[in-house]
Amino acid sequence: MNISSVGVVGAGQMGNGIAHVFALAGFDVVLNDIDRGAIECALKLVETNLARQVNSGRITKKDAEAALKRISTSMTLADLGATDLIIEAATERESVKVAIFEDLVPHLGQNTILTSNTSSISITRLASRTDRPERFMGFHFMNPVPVMQLVELIRGIATDDQTYQTLKEVVERLGKTSATAEDFPAFIVNRILMPMINEAVYTLYEGVGSVSSIDSAMKLGTNHPMGPLQLADFIGLDTCLAIMNVLHDGLADTKYRPCPLLTKYVEAGWLGRKTERGFYDYREDPPEPTR
């Protein structure tokens, strides 16, 4: 299947990065969101990030200008129906994703492939709510999308080989590397990463170490570029909690029980960088630990 046009649902942290890399790779992109302000912010961020790539010599100014011209926007899901590939990158809540796919279905072309950028939710279950489970896959990009090289490809139980091979080729056209994961809770990356982050929160919760000592220990002791609590803030504590809940509910193992302190931060609205407070207070320069 030839993919030339892509619809992206959600103009947030992931959606703008996905639109960026597809437009830069020569695809025509329609970026959709229910919030006009979110779309405008996404376009500004894409422009800023493209300019950063130009300044670093990774792309030319002509490449950046051409990529921006390939991105159109819409606040109506029906406008995405004519695209060859749709990537849902909305919030990590199954009810929201299901509603999006159900609204999209009546407007889709016969061969349009549907995908979700979900980091943890069952692809088989999402696919079952559409009219094309054989042309539905998990298409999980890492954050920040323009920088990270990996894309997880997750087949649902009904996904056909043509859809899988098509998306594998799309990843190659983006200049990224794919890893194939089975459709089990949180797939590969988050199945391993989130329990580590959750354990770091437990280490803080139980008073074993402070925020700064835990992050310093992991950066210097294991050569991680970012400490686990700093990384949690970057990802979003609400997203971390949602993934841990999926793991806990889906695998029924107490080792995946979300730390109560993580739940408390989310209940407080301290979600990390996007709300300026999480395990660090980003209203300070440099950011100060909150515990």
Side-chain angles (χ1 to χ4, degrees):
M1 295 175 64
N2 181 43
I3 304 296
S4 61
S5 58
V6 179
V8 180
V9 183
Q13 183 171 243
M14 296 303 295
N16 79 72
I18 293 169
H20 173 145
V21 297
F22 270 92
L24 192 57
F27 295 86
D28 293 323
V29 178
V30 182
L31 180 60
N32 168 274
D33 201 285
I34 57 173
D35 183 351
R36 170 54 63 184
I39 292 174
E40 291 173 356
C41 286
L43 290 175
K44 288 177 183 176
L45 189 55
V46 170
E47 187 172 6
T48 298
N49 288 336
L50 285 168
R52 186 177 290 118
Q53 289 178 305
V54 171
N55 292 336
S56 67
R58 291 174 58 195
I59 64 173
T60 67
K61 187 176 180 180
K62 186 177 179 180
D63 291 334
E65 291 172 347
L68 282 172
K69 288 178 181 178
R70 292 190 192 104
I71 302 175
S72 60
T73 64
S74 173
M75 295 176 65
T76 306
L77 278 174
D79 292 342
L80 276 60
T83 59
D84 303 317
L85 166 66
I86 294 176
I87 305 166
E88 171 274 315
T91 187
E92 191 68 0
R93 291 211 309 272
E94 187 166 346
S95 59
V96 173
K97 296 179 185 295
V98 167
I100 288 169
F101 289 124
E102 289 180 344
D103 286 350
L104 274 170
V105 163
H107 309 288
L108 299 178
Q110 183 179 352
N111 296 317
T112 299
I113 294 175
L114 286 177
T115 68
S116 176
N117 185 58
T118 179
S119 51
S120 60
I121 297 168
S122 167
I123 298 304
T124 297
R125 199 161 61 236
L126 289 175
S128 72
R129 304 300 293 270
T130 75
D131 67 340
R132 59 196 64 212
E134 71 285 355
R135 290 193 297 282
F136 192 108
M137 275 189 65
F139 206 29
H140 182 215
F141 289 81
M142 306 295 121
N143 185 33
V145 181
V147 175
M148 302 296 281
Q149 291 301 302
L150 181 71
V151 182
E152 284 184 314
L153 297 179
I154 307 100
R155 298 175 71 156
I157 195 170
T159 306
D160 63 28
D161 287 337
Q162 185 181 30
T163 298
Y164 170 75
Q165 291 298 333
T166 297
L167 291 186
K168 192 173 181 182
E169 290 168 9
V170 167
V171 174
E172 291 172 1
R173 287 173 62 187
L174 295 175
K176 296 187 182 294
T177 301
S178 62
T180 303
E182 292 297 320
D183 185 21
F184 290 104
F187 320 129
I188 295 173
V189 173
N190 284 315
R191 172 76 176 263
I192 297 167
L193 174 64
M194 287 303 159
M196 184 196 77
I197 287 176
N198 194 52
E199 194 62 29
V201 183
Y202 266 115
T203 305
L204 177 65
Y205 176 63
E206 294 170 1
V208 179
S210 64
V211 169
S212 57
S213 62
I214 291 167
D215 276 352
S216 293
M218 292 303 290
K219 284 192 287 186
L220 301 178
T222 61
N223 207 28
H224 288 190
M226 190 181 293
L229 300 175
Q230 183 185 8
L231 178 58
D233 276 355
F234 181 75
I235 294 167
L237 303 192
D238 52 339
T239 300
C240 294
L241 179 59
I243 295 169
M244 288 307 303
N245 280 325
V246 167
L247 280 166
H248 190 233
D249 294 344
L251 298 173
D253 193 323
T254 55
K255 72 179 180 180
Y256 298 117
R257 182 172 70 96
C259 179
L261 183 60
L262 178 60
T263 302
K264 182 180 288 188
Y265 268 74
V266 173
E267 288 175 344
W270 292 17
L271 308 181
R273 284 181 176 272
K274 60 188 174 185
T275 58
E276 296 192 310
R277 275 193 294 186
F279 292 113
Y280 292 86
D281 188 338
Y282 298 93
R283 298 170 301 177
E284 305 291 332
D285 188 19
E288 288 290 327
T290 54
R291 290 179 79 85

